[in-house]
Amino acid sequence: MPQNKMTDKAKENNKSLTADAFSVKSRLKNSVVTPPPAAGAFKANPLVKQTSFRKFYNRGDLPIALEHDTKGNKIAWKVEIEKLDYHHYLPMFFDGLRETKHPYGFFARQGVHDMLEHGGNKITSVIPQLIIPIKKALELREAKVLCTTLKVLQHLVVSADLVGEALVPYYRQILPVLNIFISMNCNLGDGIDYGQQRRENVGTLIQETLEAFETYGGQDAFINIKYMVPTYESCRLN
């Protein structure tokens, strides 16, 4: 009988104890430490709140319609783009960059590019209103939305004079997510990355965007980019 008690006690001593990492229990002799959960830096965040773009589109308040031709779908503007109130419409279309469902995503994406192409000097004064929609789109961390937003940023910096310089004070809002995803390049060895051909490689698009920021952002652009993205190397100094 005493021997059985000793055996049971030995089994209890040998029984492992599951403990969280860095906890007090993790220091015990028979504890099995479970690793801490992943930080989720690359995890996509769901689009929780309806965008203002979708709300205005569903109400019929946007001067756009879908037009079909032999080349595919395109936007038919009900008014001349040059006559649009850019302070009202451009931030709204930028807010729609978070949309992935058709037709919202298509209209927002194509509408932004059309307005940037015809906006001229009206774009520069709207830059402060575009930062929050850009930040929200990037913080979704969804690959398709990231690629769309990065292409728009590349178009934005060349859309008018001084736009690149006007973006420099807002690098702290725009660049943190780019710093996380800049290393996301697909290394396929001898294989073919078709996503790169379609310009859907996030790491490559981020590199192109940062180079565009440096090229058109003036003399203070590089030092501000380097502060937020330490691994970035100048495309001009080298």
Side-chain angles (χ1 to χ4, degrees):
M1 193 71 179
Q3 187 176 359
N4 291 336
K5 287 184 178 180
M6 290 293 293
T7 305
D8 293 340
K9 192 173 182 180
K11 287 181 179 179
E12 289 179 6
N13 290 336
N14 291 330
K15 191 175 180 181
S16 60
L17 175 68
T18 303
D20 295 329
F22 309 111
S23 65
V24 176
K25 290 182 180 180
S26 66
R27 300 184 182 183
L28 298 177
K29 183 178 179 181
N30 295 327
S31 64
V32 177
V33 181
T34 57
F42 300 100
K43 185 179 179 181
N45 298 315
L47 179 59
V48 178
K49 192 175 180 182
Q50 179 178 327
T51 63
S52 61
F53 177 85
R54 180 184 293 205
K55 181 176 70 175
F56 278 85
Y57 177 83
N58 288 337
R59 287 193 337 203
D61 291 341
L62 297 178
I64 54 176
L66 186 63
E67 182 178 311
H68 305 276
D69 62 8
T70 55
K71 296 181 180 179
N73 296 333
K74 68 177 184 178
I75 288 183
W77 291 90
K78 298 176 182 178
V79 297
E80 294 182 26
I81 301 177
E82 293 81 359
K83 295 181 179 179
L84 290 173
D85 180 359
Y86 269 62
H87 284 275
H88 176 69
Y89 285 110
L90 192 57
M92 191 185 303
F93 274 83
F94 264 79
D95 190 52
L97 294 177
R98 292 181 287 158
E99 295 285 356
T100 55
K101 291 184 178 180
H102 187 78
Y104 310 109
F106 168 76
F107 275 125
R109 182 175 61 253
Q110 192 60 47
V112 164
H113 286 295
D114 286 352
M115 293 184 73
L116 291 180
E117 191 172 339
H118 296 86
N121 294 329
K122 291 192 290 185
I123 297 172
T124 308
S125 60
V126 191
I127 292 297
Q129 296 174 252
L130 304 180
I131 302 305
I132 291 179
I134 291 171
K135 184 180 178 182
K136 286 182 177 179
L138 293 174
E139 287 182 345
L140 280 182
R141 305 187 184 193
E142 202 274 332
K144 185 176 181 180
V145 175
L146 278 173
C147 292
T148 298
T149 308
L150 291 168
K151 292 173 186 176
V152 166
L153 286 173
Q154 292 178 26
H155 191 175
L156 178 63
V157 295
V158 299
S159 60
D161 294 337
L162 304 178
V163 168
E165 295 181 25
L167 285 170
V168 174
Y170 303 103
Y171 282 174
R172 294 195 177 195
Q173 283 77 38
I174 299 173
L175 299 187
V177 175
L178 274 61
N179 183 42
I180 295 172
F181 285 89
I182 191 171
S183 60
M184 284 194 66
N185 283 307
C186 298
N187 186 357
L188 302 180
D190 294 332
I192 300 173
D193 180 11
Y194 292 101
Q196 193 168 16
Q197 293 181 359
R198 296 189 299 268
R199 299 191 72 225
E200 294 176 357
N201 187 309
V202 175
T204 302
L205 283 172
I206 289 175
Q207 183 66 30
E208 293 175 358
T209 304
L210 294 177
E211 290 177 358
F213 280 2
E214 182 187 1
T215 302
Y216 297 96
Q219 59 182 3
D220 295 329
F222 172 69
I223 191 171
N224 283 278
I225 294 172
K226 189 72 174 177
Y227 180 78
M228 299 303 301
V229 187
T231 58
Y232 176 72
E233 297 295 335
S234 175
C235 64
R236 306 184 71 187
L237 299 177
N238 296 331

